[in-house]
Amino acid sequence: SQTIHQWPATLVQPVGSPLSLECTVEGTSNPNLYWYRQAAGRGLQLLFYSVGIGQISSEVPQNLSASRPQDRQFILSSKKLLLSDSGFYLCAWDRGSGQPQHFGDGTRLSIL
Amino acid sequence: GQQLNQSPQSMFIQEGEDVSMNCTSSSIFNTWLWYKQDPGEGPVLLIALYKAGELTSNGRLTAQFGITRKDSFLNISASIPSDVGIYFCAGQLGPPGANSKLTFGKGITLSVRP
């Protein structure tokens, strides 16, 4: 069966520090991968998606970037975090054949 | 752009009651999905609908894909305390590539009084 892992589960970072959140999927190949941000008590905002290695599409202008160095690995990064980057970050995958997206357990990011 | 409308933002029901949630869109989708999110966790898929008019059940949950392809509803019967959470609807145009992206509603927070 397929599983998706995100880490860390929680992260507290100072303003201006770098960021690297990692997401990996197991049990499937060539998945579509997604990064979402969820502000407290609000819906899901799509940040990036990827249909293959090295292919990244950005949905909103922001202080973050994404990379896909391997087929089942998706990384969310920032060179300098802003206070507004705080939130709950979710990674998701699907098979790209009309099947539903499945989510990881998320990373709670707090910027001080 | 596409938007999904879920309202009200919060619902409060008594344990044992049934509850219905609607999701509407100004544009059509070819797939409708319902997710539930518990606090501090990622959303979990409840039901997926792939065909207009389709009615699908998953235990005490029933969801329908509207005939117009612009709406869907989710029913929960005989609610229990663990039904508490945020319920999101999502629409998808379908593959390939960018059309696999989901459009989410803002979610409905369900509270169940014992």
Side-chain angles (χ1 to χ4, degrees):
Chain A
S1 64
Q2 299 82 26
T3 56
I4 179 169
H5 302 281
Q6 281 186 249
W7 66 91
T10 59
L11 188 61
V12 181
Q13 292 283 100
V15 169
S17 64
L19 173 74
S20 180
L21 302 181
E22 191 162 342
C23 172
T24 59
V25 179
E26 297 177 358
T28 190
S29 60
N30 197 30
N32 288 341
L33 296 171
Y34 306 83
W35 278 113
Y36 291 86
R37 176 168 56 208
Q38 184 177 30
R42 302 181 69 176
L44 297 159
Q45 179 187 37
L46 180 64
L47 302 176
F48 301 95
Y49 72 93
S50 172
V51 299
I53 295 174
Q55 301 179 59
I56 309 295
S57 295
S58 175
E59 289 296 294
V60 293
Q62 59 199 300
N63 183 42
L64 303 169
S65 62
S67 61
R68 186 170 176 174
Q70 300 180 44
D71 181 43
R72 291 169 292 169
Q73 184 184 31
F74 206 23
I75 297 172
L76 185 68
S77 304
S78 174
K79 293 182 179 178
K80 285 187 177 181
L81 286 167
L82 306 172
L83 283 174
S84 58
D85 292 324
S86 292
F88 190 49
Y89 288 84
L90 289 157
C91 181
W93 75 275
D94 67 41
R95 286 197 176 92
S97 57
Q99 297 301 305
Q101 288 181 23
H102 298 275
F103 288 82
D105 287 334
T107 294
R108 174 74 59 192
L109 176 63
S110 299
I111 310 299
L112 303 179
Chain B
Q2 296 168 324
Q3 288 186 330
L4 293 185
N5 300 307
Q6 285 186 267
S7 65
Q9 191 172 3
S10 301
M11 300 182 77
F12 299 86
I13 61 174
Q14 197 75 33
E15 183 177 358
E17 288 182 342
D18 300 345
V19 62
S20 183
M21 304 177 190
N22 287 341
C23 185
T24 60
S25 171
S26 57
S27 54
I28 64 172
F29 289 100
N30 293 318
T31 298
W32 284 87
L33 306 168
W34 284 92
Y35 290 86
K36 182 195 176 198
Q37 185 178 28
D38 290 330
E41 299 183 10
V44 174
L45 181 69
L46 297 175
I47 292 180
L49 302 159
Y50 299 103
K51 186 177 178 182
E54 179 182 356
L55 185 70
T56 297
S57 293
N58 177 8
R60 293 179 294 106
L61 308 178
T62 302
Q64 185 160 30
F65 189 145
I67 290 291
T68 65
R69 293 194 287 162
K70 291 184 178 182
D71 63 335
S72 176
F73 73 76
L74 174 72
N75 281 348
I76 303 174
S77 63
S79 60
I80 59 178
S82 62
D83 290 333
V84 166
I86 304 175
Y87 290 81
F88 291 99
C89 64
Q92 185 188 52
L93 283 175
N99 287 336
S100 291
K101 293 185 294 182
L102 294 180
T103 299
F104 280 89
K106 292 186 177 180
I108 293 176
T109 299
L110 180 66
S111 300
V112 179
R113 292 186 291 262

